[in-house]
Amino acid sequence: MRYDWTPLWRSTIGFDRLFDALDEVQRTAEETYPPYNIERLDENRFQISVALAGFRPDEVALTVEQNVLSLEGGKTEKDEKTFLHRGISARDFKRQFTLADHVEVKGACFENGLLVIDLQREIPEAMKPRRIDINGGSPSNFTQIEGKAA
């Protein structure tokens, strides 16, 4: 006897979207960790502050390559502690920031659970706008060519 599986196939259509939605929730959680602020200090200076509670400076790596600032972190020791509540995340992470042209990382410091990254925009002299003087001529400097009017 052959059984018709078509009703079962019909019931699974649309669940692929549910799995996509669950994947999206997971991705969103990964994209929001660790939390950060980006602050403009003045026209050419910026600061990124990243909350890294529970991490030590040697567990975090900061690299810049082709206008991409990458921040990676991971716990080097696995705790064998028994937590009654664990609200401070200790998961591995990777966060990337795309930097505009001519923005350079000037330094970073780790203090009180915050990683603070200083950025500076340094436009090369050749690319900076410059004012061009326009020489004005008085009517006496012009020579009129004589000719007959048409």
Side-chain angles (χ1 to χ4, degrees), residues 14-150:
F15 280 94
D16 55 340
R17 290 186 181 158
L18 174 64
F19 294 126
D20 289 344
L22 291 174
D23 187 44
E24 184 67 29
V25 169
Q26 168 120 15
R27 248 183 294 150
T28 302
E30 290 172 0
E31 291 171 359
T32 60
Y33 182 80
Y36 65 93
N37 292 336
I38 299 176
E39 182 180 358
R40 178 188 293 263
L41 302 176
D42 63 31
E43 187 177 332
N44 292 313
R45 290 182 338 145
F46 307 90
Q47 195 172 66
I48 300 173
S49 301
V50 185
L52 296 176
F55 285 88
R56 295 188 317 261
D58 62 330
E59 297 172 327
V60 178
L62 189 63
T63 58
V64 178
E65 184 177 350
Q66 296 180 355
N67 290 6
V68 176
L69 173 64
S70 297
L71 175 63
E72 293 184 62
K75 298 299 283 179
T76 54
E77 60 188 46
K78 299 298 178 194
D79 292 333
E80 298 297 326
K81 301 175 185 175
T82 303
F83 289 95
L84 299 178
H85 172 75
R86 186 167 191 161
I88 300 174
S89 180
R91 63 183 180 212
D92 295 351
F93 65 89
K94 181 173 184 175
R95 162 127 355 243
Q96 293 185 325
F97 302 93
T98 302
L99 303 177
D101 290 337
H102 312 296
V103 173
E104 297 179 12
V105 177
K106 289 300 184 181
C109 66
F110 199 102
E111 188 175 325
N112 298 327
L114 280 179
L115 174 66
V116 179
I117 306 163
D118 293 315
L119 306 168
Q120 173 104 20
R121 181 182 347 198
E122 294 182 356
I123 300 172
E125 283 297 320
M127 297 186 75
K128 287 183 181 177
R130 57 189 173 110
R131 186 171 181 89
I132 309 296
D133 291 330
I134 300 173
N135 295 326
S138 62
S140 61
N141 292 343
F142 294 109
T143 307
Q144 184 172 2
I145 300 176
E146 292 188 27
K148 295 181 181 179

